[in-house]
Amino acid sequence: MKKTSTSLADGRELIYYDLRDDTVRDAVDRRPLERTVTTSEIRRDPLLGDSIAVASHRQGRTYHPPADQCPLCPSQGDRLSEIPDSSYDVVVFENRFPSLAGDSGRCEVVCFTSDHNASFADLSEEQAALVLEAWTDRTSELSHLPSVEQVFCFENRGAEIGVTLGHPHGQIYAYPFTTPRTALMLRSLAAHKEATGGENLFDAVVASELAGERVVLEGEHWVAFVPYAAHWPYEVHLYPKRRVPDLLALDESARTEFPKVYLELLRRFDRIFGEGEPPTPYISAWHQAPFGALEEFEGVNRDDFALHLELFTIRRTSGKLKFLAGSESGMNVFINDVPPERAAERLREVAS
């Protein structure tokens, strides 16, 4: 992998990740951009104890542009985009309309391929491995920013999810706090460790699922399963079999096997609802241990956390979506229309 860092016309950082070591990246951003002005602010809810970001500048962000005006495609002739070069393998840049900025963290965009009509599932294993390298590198770099406590790499795919740019891409959020969902895991981890005299909850969950009926796909170094209490109609959790706290700690064997396993999962998601169905909308989310202090989670350290990826779709059956209505949105009590055992069975049925 070759990494080349440069700047866009408004001063934002842009980084090329290339498969070839001899690739030269010297294209200049020719757009007349002014410096980005953001108004991101973190506010803490005194009743729930969580935090939200107020980012009113995002009202003006790019919204469903036609394909020939896509800002994530490479620049071609006089059609200038966020990527100055005429081609790329993988590229990462600071979001022009970030939810988090300055002392409130940082947001980046990850473009998986220059092919506008592709998806992550269309990538080669070599290309998917390069994306993994980019995620890992950005996790390392962002973790050293003084305002950052947790790094979250994710992909939203599909208009049903709320995606406003059709080009295959993901995002990275660098939060200035430990996110509420991770805090819940850490509290459960601490409670289980105390109750069992030191047993790791993540290890116990993975061992239980490996022995059960909800395993979807298993490799030498990774296992994917539908969790016992899945919140979403089709939801898969992907774990390395050797527990590590973050992407940085994955060994070479796990890195080598990941593209094959992950690409197969994504392709199965596109086959869940049968031939002729539109691509399955999904969210793919990496869960990594926070880099900040964990004193409030008594007895827990970073190495107790287990890196894993959660992949789920809001489509519950052909032509029907799972909406978060009163119980889910009002009380955070999910109601799942598809039994997890049946979801796992279906995901095994559509193996390539």
Side-chain angles (χ1 to χ4, degrees):
M1 179 195 78
K2 181 180 181 182
K3 175 184 174 182
T4 306
S5 182
T6 184
S7 295
L8 296 171
D10 56 6
R12 289 175 294 130
E13 186 177 17
L14 179 142
I15 307 160
Y16 294 98
Y17 294 89
D18 286 295
L19 292 168
R20 291 175 56 96
D21 290 336
D22 59 353
T23 303
V24 176
R25 298 295 185 187
D26 55 7
V28 176
D29 185 2
R30 295 180 282 128
R31 297 173 298 170
L33 298 180
E34 297 181 355
R35 288 274 174 174
T36 301
V37 177
T38 62
T39 57
S40 181
E41 175 189 359
I42 300 297
R43 296 187 181 184
R44 187 169 180 82
D45 187 318
L47 294 180
L48 297 180
D50 58 9
S51 299
I52 64 106
V54 179
S56 59
H57 62 277
R58 284 173 53 79
Q59 287 281 35
R61 67 188 184 273
T62 308
Y63 188 79
H64 293 297
D68 62 357
Q69 296 178 30
C70 174
L72 306 185
C73 288
S75 293
Q76 297 288 343
D78 293 331
R79 193 183 72 78
L80 306 178
S81 74
E82 290 280 67
I83 296 91
D85 216 325
S86 59
S87 66
Y88 62 84
D89 291 335
V90 174
V91 70
V92 177
F93 60 87
E94 287 185 75
N95 197 322
R96 191 177 178 188
F97 304 97
S99 302
L100 309 167
D103 292 339
S104 298
R106 176 158 157 151
C107 293
E108 298 182 341
V109 177
V110 184
C111 298
F112 304 138
T113 171
S114 59
D115 184 352
H116 181 85
N117 297 312
S119 69
F120 201 117
D122 296 323
L123 300 183
S124 66
E125 290 186 19
E126 184 181 38
Q127 187 84 4
L130 185 62
V131 176
L132 177 61
E133 289 299 314
W135 283 331
T136 305
D137 180 70
R138 296 315 301 154
T139 296
S140 176
E141 293 290 329
L142 293 170
S143 71
H144 289 96
L145 296 180
S147 63
V148 172
E149 286 196 15
Q150 187 171 2
V151 179
F152 176 46
C153 307
F154 65 100
E155 180 191 1
N156 297 326
R157 191 241 205 160
E160 300 94 329
I161 295 293
V163 175
T164 57
L165 296 175
H167 195 101
H169 74 288
Q171 299 181 66
I172 302 175
Y173 276 22
Y175 297 101
F177 50 79
T178 296
T179 60
R181 188 172 177 85
T182 302
L184 283 173
M185 293 184 196
L186 290 168
R187 282 194 283 272
S188 296
L189 186 63
H192 185 85
K193 189 174 185 178
E194 181 179 10
T196 60
E199 182 182 60
N200 184 279
L201 178 59
F202 285 109
D203 292 350
V205 167
V206 172
S208 175
E209 294 291 357
L210 276 168
E213 58 181 317
R214 289 179 296 275
V215 171
V216 172
L217 180 62
E218 183 179 358
E220 183 179 355
H221 304 284
W222 295 85
V223 60
F225 55 84
V226 177
Y228 171 74
H231 288 53
W232 300 94
Y234 291 91
E235 174 181 340
V236 174
H237 293 189
L238 176 63
Y239 280 77
K241 290 184 176 178
R242 183 179 72 86
R243 172 167 44 90
V244 295
D246 52 40
L247 291 167
L248 304 174
L250 285 174
D251 61 27
E252 196 57 38
S253 296
R255 290 184 181 281
T256 299
E257 187 181 67
F258 171 77
K260 180 178 181 180
V261 173
Y262 185 51
L263 289 171
E264 173 62 18
L265 277 180
L266 293 180
R267 291 162 186 168
R268 290 190 192 188
F269 257 59
D270 274 342
R271 293 193 291 266
I272 294 173
F273 303 104
E275 294 293 331
E277 286 291 316
T280 301
Y282 65 72
I283 292 175
S284 176
W286 280 110
H287 291 261
Q288 306 191 77
F291 290 94
L294 299 179
E295 283 84 358
E296 64 177 292
F297 310 104
E298 189 173 348
V300 170
N301 57 55
R302 287 195 82 248
D303 289 338
D304 290 324
F305 194 87
L307 167 76
H308 63 284
L309 182 143
E310 297 185 8
L311 173 68
F312 61 89
T313 180
I314 62 172
R315 186 178 293 165
R316 56 188 175 88
T317 189
S318 179
K320 297 179 182 179
L321 301 180
K322 165 65 177 177
F323 291 102
L324 300 190
S327 185
E328 292 89 354
S329 295
M331 283 295 163
N332 201 29
V333 178
F334 276 67
I335 300 169
N336 194 348
D337 304 286
V338 181
E341 293 73 23
R342 175 54 190 151
E345 182 181 24
R346 178 59 181 158
L347 285 161
R348 289 192 296 269
E349 290 173 351
V350 296
S352 59

